[in-house]
Amino acid sequence: MAGIKRHLMLWGTGRPVADHFATGAATVVLENPAHLPALLGSDLVGTRSVVFVPGHVEGTDDPAGPVIAGYEGSLSEPGAECSLGSDFYLQIQNYGISAYMSVVGPTLIRVADAMDLDAYLADADQARQTGVFPDFLTNPVIQLADLPALGAATAGDGPRRRLYADQDGILSTAPGGPRLGVLGEDTLEQLETRWLLLDAAAGQRPTAERPWLGRYLAAVGAIRDLRARGVINVKVSGFGGRLGAAAASLSTDATDATADAADALLPLLLWSGETVYVHDPVGGRTFRLDPVTGALAEALLVSGSVAAASAHADRDGLERVAASFADAGIALCAAEASPKGVGVSRETRTPTRADDLVTAGN
């Protein structure tokens, strides 16, 4: 069941993961159970795919075929509930009302219309300017749906990662997403080609005016992870302020010019009280630091290089901190970051220089 729930949440959020599927989409959600035969007869699913179908599904235990999971309720309608068996219930809510609703369990929040989008952007702007993040959005049981459409990096998303077929068999990556094709008529390659064209032309995305939205979403996820471990009152560097004087000196009124302004894959620096954390959005690892080391790490993130940061902080200390993170497979300097970090598994790896960094656990 854990693997099935993971597929469902990755489908809902659109969050990319490290594994890739040679054949078929990783996860497919059908709104109409009558479409199951057409789906199974297409190349849209492979042996490792997971297909969610309304109702109780009988006779689909073929080990050579995709996993078929029955569900009750709806995965597309805000205000509805989806259940998998009798032990997992997922609430679906609109963004605009979520701040006023009580959270009773796992919840997927959708930006379903223009009012929701306005509320989402207003919350993001407030966090950017003041450092105050929406309390409901950083709740550990909350997940925001369709992250790529809201500013997150699109790498790893697309029809090979997730598909949705509505009541009429119209295919998209998610409810409310652009039409990619029709079930029974289009191949996975055709769907992917259309998705890539639409993705390249998506200049209307919120990031057109707010290139830092991907970083905001990464910060939301980092705060959520810390709250799940009991860490509260979390601040994020670059959102309403900085931890150390060096980073503050390196920052200017044009905050979008700093090295850590917009890269959603660059580590984030957070703090609560006297404890500082560096969170890697790619691998999902979080490192705990003392305030002095944290300020040096922040200077590296803000400046983008040891050379630039050394004008405001001790160069030996900067090199030591940069090397310690490099030993752990994390590049703090934007100039040193590379795609090789993408897909790092969520594992606990204690850095070689344990006096500098301590993993906070996963």
Side-chain angles (χ1 to χ4, degrees):
M1 177 61 78
I4 298 296
K5 289 189 289 187
R6 178 175 178 270
H7 268 265
L8 181 61
M9 296 311 297
L10 289 174
W11 172 84
T13 61
R15 182 182 295 114
V17 292
D19 54 327
H20 297 280
F21 287 69
T23 60
T27 310
V28 183
V29 169
L30 298 179
E31 283 283 357
N32 188 340
H35 291 147
L36 182 59
L39 177 68
L40 296 179
S42 73
D43 74 338
L44 303 184
V45 291
T47 57
R48 296 176 60 200
S49 301
V50 174
V51 179
F52 292 91
V53 184
H56 181 65
V57 182
E58 296 282 1
T60 53
D61 301 342
D62 184 0
V67 174
I68 312 297
Y71 72 90
E72 301 291 340
S74 174
L75 284 164
S76 61
E77 298 178 17
E81 180 182 76
C82 167
S83 63
L84 301 179
S86 59
D87 62 350
F88 180 75
Y89 296 86
L90 179 67
Q91 306 289 324
I92 313 294
Q93 287 184 4
N94 271 43
Y95 188 98
I97 67 170
S98 293
Y100 312 103
M101 301 290 288
S102 298
V103 178
V104 296
T107 302
L108 188 66
I109 295 178
R110 292 195 180 282
V111 175
D113 54 31
M115 292 183 64
D116 284 343
L117 181 59
D118 288 344
Y120 163 70
L121 293 176
D123 284 344
D125 287 341
Q126 175 177 269
R128 180 73 167 172
Q129 295 162 11
T130 70
V132 177
F133 288 75
D135 184 71
F136 75 92
L137 197 57
T138 59
N139 189 309
V141 301
I142 293 287
Q143 291 288 337
L144 191 57
D146 305 320
L147 295 173
L150 299 176
T154 58
D157 194 27
R160 290 190 182 276
R161 174 57 51 198
R162 56 184 185 140
L163 279 173
Y164 168 75
D166 69 10
Q167 285 288 344
D168 299 319
I170 305 301
L171 293 165
S172 58
T173 55
R179 173 175 171 150
L180 298 177
V182 180
L183 184 60
E185 297 181 11
D186 295 284
T187 66
L188 186 57
E189 183 177 357
Q190 290 172 319
L191 300 181
E192 186 170 33
T193 297
R194 290 169 191 152
W195 184 83
L196 290 171
L197 291 172
L198 288 167
D199 185 57
Q204 75 279 8
R205 278 204 179 115
T207 48
E209 296 181 357
R210 297 171 176 83
W212 46 266
L213 273 177
R215 195 131 181 93
Y216 166 72
L217 291 171
V220 167
I223 297 172
R224 186 186 295 131
D225 284 353
L226 288 176
R227 283 186 62 179
R229 299 170 187 163
V231 181
I232 60 173
N233 300 323
V234 178
K235 303 296 183 182
V236 184
S237 179
F239 290 83
R242 299 290 187 180
L243 169 70
S249 298
L250 287 159
S251 299
T252 66
D253 291 337
T255 55
D256 288 346
T258 59
D260 67 341
D263 187 351
L265 302 182
L266 194 68
L268 292 141
L269 186 130
L270 311 91
W271 69 93
S272 176
E274 293 297 310
T275 307
V276 183
Y277 305 89
V278 168
H279 177 80
D280 171 27
V282 177
R285 292 178 291 164
T286 298
F287 302 86
R288 188 174 61 246
L289 294 78
D290 63 80
V292 173
T293 304
L296 291 169
E298 182 184 42
L300 292 168
L301 288 167
V302 173
S303 67
S305 71
V306 170
S310 62
H312 300 270
D314 173 63
R315 188 182 185 99
D316 289 342
L318 292 167
E319 290 178 343
R320 174 173 50 81
V321 173
S324 295
F325 274 96
D327 287 343
I330 305 296
L332 290 182
C333 299
E336 300 171 1
S338 70
K340 67 183 180 180
V342 176
V344 177
S345 62
R346 188 180 178 86
E347 59 182 350
T348 301
R349 293 176 56 190
T350 303
T352 302
R353 304 184 183 187
D355 57 321
D356 297 325
L357 310 174
V358 181
T359 54
N362 290 291

